[in-house]
Amino acid sequence: MPVEPLICSDTATRVSSVLNRDVKQFGKKHMFDASEETCWNSDQSPWCHSCPQGTCQWVTLDFPCSVKISQLHIQFQGGFSSRLCTLEGCRAGEELERISTLYPEDSNAMQRFQLEETVLDKLKITFENSTDFFGRIIVYHLWVLGERL
């Protein structure tokens, strides 16, 4: 089966924070609108011991049906990217389990990652080790590709 984008209007999305709580200008929906002009911009991270720059930023995706993921494409704003992304996933009613660790570059370019095929209903992407001193993350595009089951 050919891969297809899995994030749709019925995918429930959550993010850790939005810059100044300004969802109209910096909200999560901008990661999926295919516009080069808009982005999700997280707020500054409060300090915590598990992340050197503070509490890690994250995105969760609850798909409307089970999916088999195989690729993740992401475009950060350089200077506000993550050097380490942890992907966790689960089926409905189960606990999240780590499925992959990615090491993006601090770049404005679209980055494409091939993943081990995994069937899940929920995906959590945690952005660790931000390149921004305050732990902010800026994402212009986020695509998860694979198959709907």
Side-chain angles (χ1 to χ4, degrees):
M1 297 280 306
V3 296
E4 62 180 316
L6 299 174
I7 300 169
C8 64
S9 60
D10 293 329
T11 304
T13 59
R14 293 183 58 219
V15 293
S16 50
S17 66
V18 175
L19 183 64
N20 300 324
R21 297 185 181 175
D22 186 352
V23 296
K24 185 173 183 178
Q25 188 171 359
F26 301 116
K28 61 189 177 186
K29 66 180 181 271
H30 297 303
M31 286 186 284
F32 316 114
D33 65 6
S35 170
E36 298 296 326
E37 304 296 319
T38 61
C39 61
W40 166 59
N41 192 334
S42 77
D43 213 338
Q44 179 175 327
S45 296
W47 179 258
C48 120
H49 297 293
S50 65
C51 256
Q53 284 83 21
T55 304
C56 299
Q57 302 294 339
W58 49 263
V59 173
T60 61
L61 304 166
D62 284 294
F63 297 99
C65 63
S66 295
V67 296
K68 183 192 296 183
I69 64 169
S70 59
Q71 296 179 37
L72 183 130
H73 298 184
I74 190 164
Q75 183 178 9
F76 294 102
Q77 178 174 318
F80 297 89
S81 61
S82 170
R83 291 187 189 102
L84 171 64
C85 295
T86 302
L87 276 60
E88 298 172 284
C90 64
R91 301 295 304 266
E94 296 178 358
E95 293 292 317
L96 289 169
E97 292 183 14
R98 183 178 297 220
I99 57 174
S100 188
T101 302
L102 308 176
Y103 299 93
E105 297 177 9
D106 184 16
S107 165
N108 293 332
M110 178 68 81
Q111 299 180 59
R112 293 168 176 83
F113 297 94
Q114 194 70 34
L115 307 172
E116 184 175 327
E117 289 186 346
T118 305
V119 175
L120 50 78
D121 294 291
K122 179 177 185 172
L123 178 66
K124 180 177 184 180
I125 305 164
T126 303
F127 302 105
E128 302 176 49
N129 201 4
S130 172
T131 58
D132 174 56
F133 179 76
F134 297 104
R136 295 168 295 190
I137 298 290
I138 298 177
V139 176
Y140 278 85
H141 303 291
L142 176 64
W143 298 345
V144 177
L145 293 97
E147 295 177 49
R148 287 185 177 82
L149 302 178

